[in-house]
Amino acid sequence: MVIVGAGPVGSLAALYAAQRGYQVEVYELRPDLRDPRITPLNFTKSINLALSERGINAIRHAGQPALLSGILGACVPMRGRMVHGKKASGALYEIAQDYDLNGRCNLAMDRGALNARILDALEDLPNVELFFNHKLTGADFRKRKAWIEDRDRLSPSGRPREMEIDFDMMIGADGAHSAVRYHMMKFSRMDYQQEYIDTLWCEFRIEPGEAKADGSETWQISPNHLHIWPGKNFMFIAIPSEDGSFTCTLFLPANQFATLEADPLQVPNFFDVNFPGVRDHIPDDALIDAFNTNPHLPLISLKCKPYHFGSSGVIIGDAAHAMVPFYGQGMNTGMEDVRILFNIIDKHRQQLAETNNPAPAEEDEDDESSADAAARQAHAQALAEYSATRWVDAHTINDLAFQNYTEMRTSQSRMYRFRKGLEEFMAAHFPWFGWKTKYSLVVFSNEPYSECVRRTERQGRLIMRAFTGLVTSPILAAGVYLAYSHRRPMRELWYNAVAIWQMM
């Protein structure tokens, strides 16, 4: 099995494949991602990751208990949001908003550290080979051949040497600008849609606070929250890191970035007006330097289907469904892809075992060819099932991520607080109804995303019916009085009342 992309999702897919006895080759465009000198493809650190139940559950099923323990030990728990602002009097305030009534947390972790731990686990496995600095330049999914540039070996002309490889199955986990997807689209009738939102992002950093007497790290602001400075059309967030620092991100419309780029000295004043309190934690020169040095990058949303071609190729993670980062589910969804894909493959394990175990020596070539054909047919059925079932949930979380950007920027609006309070009241006081908030279902469960939305939409309709009933009850009472006054038959009144209720 060939896996293209050695990020967290591709590395986890390699672990799953190796656990099932596949001979695995992993090809990564970049040098070894564990080298701290390596610059990511977007020329900056990624937005810090929020690891939640779906990602944790996928790692849990990778057959590496020590890996999961090490990852969880390196995380910083975030129990909710901390919304920052300034009162009319000029006083700063911060308001905590817990994610979950039961105290469940998101876990903040550095992407590079997570990636390194999974790669270390892979390196210890005898049936896995890692190839860094190798670029996929072509793939034929009918002939099951691929062409890879080895950037560590140059030809006399100075160009990287190209090699040809064979594969039984290729998994593309190579990100939003996936080479696997690009080449697969030449063979598969794939619907494809991408959208850039009118928001760019830039990274900043809050340095650690003063170390304690025992040398342990401290944080300048609460380490157990995702900090948000909301604005109408923009926001600034801070996510804790294990070393006591915060990775911060400015999300801002492109035209406002252009205004600040024309005069970067206005950046501190912009922060002072729109994100009160940030300058208490990041000096002005650091704000200006980060704004000038770190790139201003776009946010892409991507949908496509199907995710596979025949029995020979499938795409997962951002290669299949890149999303904006506002639900914190991008990596979690990619890791869940891995678990679901291999669960489906496991359903066909009797046929697939023939792919991994060579035919006995006494069998003739016809028998061996028949076994290969049966194994490929089993792969084809598994990949087709994965494509048919997964795209609905992937598209759903993609849409939810868009919607949550608005919610995060309006975390103090009356409507948001009313809805959140009502959902939490119902979940706390009427648990026998199975009432859950949308956020808790999406982030703290393994229910399909589409089912989470259907369930919360049903809850919303019930609330609206109850609310409408309360509002209209005086009107109904007046109607009963008038009906009695005019001696209208009670049976007719009852039928009318039922009809009104059904229309709500």
Side-chain angles (χ1 to χ4, degrees):
M1 180 178 289
V2 166
I3 296 173
V4 180
V9 173
S11 299
L12 185 65
L15 271 182
Y16 268 68
Q19 181 190 29
R20 288 155 174 78
Y22 287 93
Q23 292 297 320
V24 182
E25 296 177 359
V26 182
Y27 293 91
E28 169 58 49
L29 172 62
R30 296 161 288 183
D32 193 330
L33 304 176
R34 292 164 291 184
D35 187 338
R37 298 170 298 176
I38 298 306
T39 302
L41 291 180
N42 59 9
F43 308 108
T44 184
K45 287 184 179 179
S46 148
I47 300 170
N48 259 24
L49 298 174
L51 183 62
S52 59
E53 169 57 25
R54 295 175 194 270
I56 293 169
N57 192 41
I59 299 170
R60 186 182 295 126
H61 285 87
Q64 296 272 344
L67 172 65
L68 178 61
S69 177
I71 288 172
L72 295 180
C75 292
V76 180
M78 298 184 296
R79 64 174 180 264
R81 299 170 179 167
M82 186 71 78
V83 180
H84 297 257
K86 181 187 288 188
K87 299 178 181 178
S89 64
L92 300 180
Y93 68 82
E94 53 185 31
I95 299 174
Q97 298 175 348
D98 285 355
Y99 288 132
D100 184 62
L101 288 170
N102 300 312
R104 290 174 293 186
C105 299
N106 279 322
L107 302 177
M109 186 172 188
D110 176 75
R111 177 190 175 94
L114 173 63
N115 208 162
R117 288 178 182 272
I118 303 177
L119 287 172
D120 287 343
L122 280 177
E123 207 161 44
D124 295 334
L125 300 178
N127 56 332
V128 177
E129 291 184 90
L130 299 175
F131 299 91
F132 295 102
N133 255 343
H134 282 66
K135 178 183 179 181
L136 178 71
T137 58
D140 187 325
F141 288 94
R142 289 196 178 91
K143 296 180 180 178
R144 301 172 188 272
K145 293 184 179 294
W147 293 269
I148 308 282
E149 278 186 357
D150 182 351
R151 295 185 164 191
D152 291 327
R153 296 174 60 236
L154 302 180
S155 66
S157 65
R159 294 178 57 83
R161 291 186 180 275
E162 188 174 78
M163 59 184 185
E164 182 180 282
I165 63 169
D166 298 310
F167 61 89
D168 291 319
M169 183 192 297
M170 177 182 288
I171 296 179
D174 50 340
H177 303 287
S178 169
V180 176
R181 185 185 66 239
Y182 171 77
H183 293 294
M184 187 183 295
M185 290 174 75
K186 301 172 185 175
F187 297 87
S188 173
R189 293 187 299 172
M190 182 185 292
D191 294 327
Y192 176 80
Q193 167 191 339
Q194 75 173 38
E195 180 181 355
Y196 287 96
I197 67 172
D198 185 29
T199 296
L200 304 179
W201 67 276
C202 179
E203 184 183 292
F204 295 79
R205 176 181 167 90
I206 295 176
E207 296 294 339
E210 294 183 6
K212 297 179 181 177
D214 61 2
S216 60
E217 302 293 350
T218 61
W219 289 266
Q220 293 192 45
I221 51 180
S222 167
N224 301 122
H225 291 89
L226 165 65
H227 294 264
I228 303 177
W229 284 261
K232 184 176 181 181
N233 297 311
F234 46 77
M235 68 177 178
F236 187 76
I237 68 171
I239 300 179
S241 299
E242 190 183 18
D243 65 358
S245 66
F246 284 80
T247 299
C248 307
T249 311
L250 170 64
F251 297 99
L252 190 68
N255 63 336
Q256 292 180 271
F257 260 112
T259 300
L260 291 175
E261 287 168 353
D263 186 6
L265 295 179
Q266 295 301 313
V267 169
N269 183 62
F270 177 83
F271 270 76
D272 198 41
V273 171
N274 296 287
F275 310 126
V278 170
R279 291 175 70 185
D280 295 339
H281 310 298
I282 307 178
D284 289 357
D285 58 345
L287 282 173
I288 295 171
D289 183 63
F291 184 85
N292 286 332
T293 303
N294 295 333
H296 307 153
L297 298 168
L299 293 169
I300 188 173
S301 174
L302 184 155
K303 296 177 181 177
C304 65
K305 65 172 183 175
Y307 296 142
H308 77 293
F309 176 76
S311 62
S312 59
V314 64
I315 53 175
I316 59 176
D318 282 357
H321 46 67
M323 66 192 73
V324 293
F326 304 118
Y327 227 116
Q329 288 294 291
M331 183 200 65
N332 291 287
T333 305
M335 288 185 161
E336 187 180 57
D337 287 350
V338 175
R339 179 182 63 82
I340 291 173
L341 172 62
F342 280 92
N343 281 351
I344 293 172
I345 289 175
D346 288 345
K347 289 169 51 178
H348 306 272
R349 61 184 179 273
Q350 293 302 321
Q351 300 97 316
L352 294 173
E354 298 176 63
T355 301
N356 302 318
N357 300 314
E362 64 269 22
E363 291 188 2
D364 58 30
E365 291 184 4
D366 289 340
D367 291 335
E368 189 171 344
S369 298
S370 177
D372 287 344
R376 288 180 177 179
Q377 180 62 30
H379 272 121
Q381 292 171 353
L383 299 188
E385 181 180 340
Y386 173 76
S387 268
T389 57
R390 188 57 175 160
W391 74 267
V392 177
D393 294 313
H395 287 198
T396 298
I397 187 57
N398 200 303
D399 293 337
L400 286 174
F402 263 123
Q403 296 166 16
N404 210 45
Y405 184 33
T406 301
E407 183 172 296
M408 291 176 74
R409 289 183 286 120
T410 59
S411 295
Q412 286 305 295
S413 72
R414 291 178 181 176
M415 180 57 69
Y416 170 78
R417 286 182 290 174
F418 172 77
R419 179 176 59 79
K420 186 173 187 293
L422 187 57
E423 287 180 342
E424 291 179 347
F425 176 84
M426 295 295 293
H429 294 89
F430 302 98
W432 53 86
F433 287 163
W435 202 280
K436 302 287 184 183
T437 66
K438 181 188 289 184
Y439 190 89
S440 67
L441 284 171
V442 169
V443 175
F444 300 123
S445 82
N446 290 291
E447 285 192 37
Y449 290 119
S450 55
E451 179 56 32
C452 294
V453 170
R454 280 193 292 269
R455 184 170 167 182
T456 53
E457 285 179 348
R458 285 196 299 269
Q459 293 175 174
R461 287 194 295 270
L462 286 173
I463 286 179
M464 288 306 299
R465 283 189 175 188
F467 183 74
T468 305
L470 289 173
V471 170
T472 59
S473 56
I475 300 173
L476 290 176
V480 171
Y481 173 77
L482 290 172
Y484 178 77
S485 300
H486 291 84
R487 301 297 189 271
R488 294 178 62 183
M490 293 303 294
R491 180 175 295 181
E492 182 183 347
L493 178 64
W494 169 254
Y495 287 155
N496 289 341
V498 170
I500 291 171
W501 173 255
Q502 289 175 340
M503 287 187 293
M504 290 181 182

